Amino acid sequence: LTHSFVGFQVRFLEQQNKVLSTKWELLQQQGPSGPRKNLDVIFENYIQNLRRRLESLLGQRGQLESELQNMRQYVEEYKTKYEEEINRRTAAENEFVVLKKDVDCAYMTKVELEAKVGALTDEINFLRCVYEEELAQMQTISRDLSVVVSMDNNRHLDLDSIIEEVRRQYEQIAQNSRAEAEAWYQSRYEELQNTAGRHGDSLRNTKIEIQELTRNVQRLRAEIENVKKQ
């Protein structure tokens, strides 16, 4: 607007200068007279003043054009920064969606593994019950057995040792199954905890980055509005 106003003033002064020049020529054509010399001085001074004002306005016009160019460049720079912030925010939101999907998948895997561990625990308890029942039956048989078995080589059948060996084998199988299940569950649980921790940290960092990008975008919008108003 200032640039247009200066241009209008320049054109207006140029038109006044032409009008005065025309009047000056007409006065010169009317012939010499006493008051003419005074009018010559007045018009000459007025023309000089108009010329000085014209030169001043031309200088202001050049300065305003330079300021306008700088302001346009300033606006373009902020526009570029604004677009970069928008792109960064979009990328962060996309990364947030991917991380959330990974966290959900890890949580579902954890739930599935916990269900498998529960099934294995039930199986171990079932095997323990079967073992205890079989052991009780064999102990009952050993108590009811009152006949000493003799063999041709005079070696005796030691049922207590057989029962103890069977019991020991069952206990070893149960302990091995329990140790393997607990070790496998512990390793998977630690792995899920580590994965959930990494995803949680990434999720928090992404949320913080999105908040920072949102503040930067709002700040850039406010600065762009101020620049537009200027």
Side-chain angles (χ1 to χ4, degrees):
L1 291 175
T2 304
H3 181 269
S4 301
F5 179 71
V6 171
F8 174 76
Q9 283 188 333
V10 170
R11 289 193 298 272
F12 177 73
L13 290 176
E14 290 176 350
Q15 292 176 357
Q16 281 189 335
N17 192 11
K18 290 180 180 180
V19 171
L20 291 175
S21 297
T22 302
K23 290 182 178 180
W24 175 249
E25 291 178 358
L26 292 175
L27 289 173
Q28 285 181 343
Q29 293 176 2
Q30 291 178 0
S33 62
R36 179 178 177 182
K37 293 181 179 180
N38 295 330
L39 291 176
D40 291 344
V41 174
I42 293 173
F43 278 107
E44 186 66 27
N45 292 332
Y46 187 69
I47 290 172
Q48 292 298 328
N49 290 331
L50 289 178
R51 287 176 179 173
R52 284 193 296 269
R53 288 181 61 187
L54 179 61
E55 291 175 357
S56 176
L57 289 174
L58 289 175
Q60 291 180 3
R61 177 180 180 181
Q63 182 180 0
L64 290 174
E65 286 179 350
S66 177
E67 292 179 357
L68 177 61
Q69 184 66 26
N70 293 333
M71 188 59 66
R72 287 177 177 174
Q73 184 177 0
Y74 185 69
V75 171
E76 288 297 326
E77 291 177 357
Y78 268 96
K79 182 179 179 182
T80 302
K81 290 181 181 179
Y82 175 77
E83 292 176 352
E84 290 177 355
E85 293 295 335
I86 288 295
N87 293 332
R88 289 180 58 188
R89 178 181 177 181
T90 303
E93 288 177 349
N94 293 334
E95 185 177 358
F96 171 78
V97 173
V98 173
L99 289 176
K100 187 177 184 300
K101 183 179 179 181
D102 292 339
V103 170
D104 293 340
C105 182
Y107 177 76
M108 294 302 296
T109 303
K110 178 183 177 182
V111 173
E112 183 179 356
L113 290 175
E114 288 177 349
K116 289 182 179 179
V117 169
L120 290 175
T121 303
D122 294 339
E123 184 177 356
I124 290 173
N125 293 331
F126 172 74
L127 291 175
R128 184 183 292 110
C129 292
V130 172
Y131 156 72
E132 291 175 353
E133 183 66 25
E134 290 182 354
L135 182 61
Q137 291 179 2
M138 293 185 70
Q139 288 176 349
T140 301
I141 293 174
S142 66
R143 285 194 301 268
D144 294 339
L145 186 61
S146 60
V147 179
V148 178
V149 180
S150 300
M151 302 182 68
D152 295 338
N153 55 4
N154 294 324
R155 290 182 298 177
H156 299 283
L157 185 62
D158 191 358
L159 292 179
D160 292 335
S161 298
I162 294 175
I163 293 172
E164 181 64 24
E165 180 65 21
V166 172
R167 185 184 65 79
R168 187 184 63 79
Q169 291 180 0
Y170 269 102
E171 288 181 351
Q172 186 66 32
I173 292 172
Q175 290 177 359
N176 292 336
S177 299
R178 179 185 299 174
E180 290 177 358
E182 290 179 351
W184 178 78
Y185 170 73
Q186 186 65 27
S187 63
R188 293 298 297 170
Y189 184 73
E190 291 176 355
E191 181 180 354
L192 285 173
Q193 281 186 332
N194 295 330
T195 303
R198 291 194 300 271
H199 286 305
D201 294 338
S202 300
L203 195 60
R204 285 192 296 271
N205 293 333
T206 301
K207 288 181 178 179
I208 293 173
E209 186 175 357
I210 287 176
Q211 293 175 357
E212 183 65 23
L213 289 175
T214 302
R215 288 193 294 269
N216 290 335
V217 168
Q218 292 175 352
R219 178 177 57 81
L220 289 174
R221 284 177 176 172
E223 291 180 357
I224 287 175
E225 289 297 327
N226 291 331
V227 170
K228 288 181 178 179
K229 291 179 181 179
Q230 292 177 3

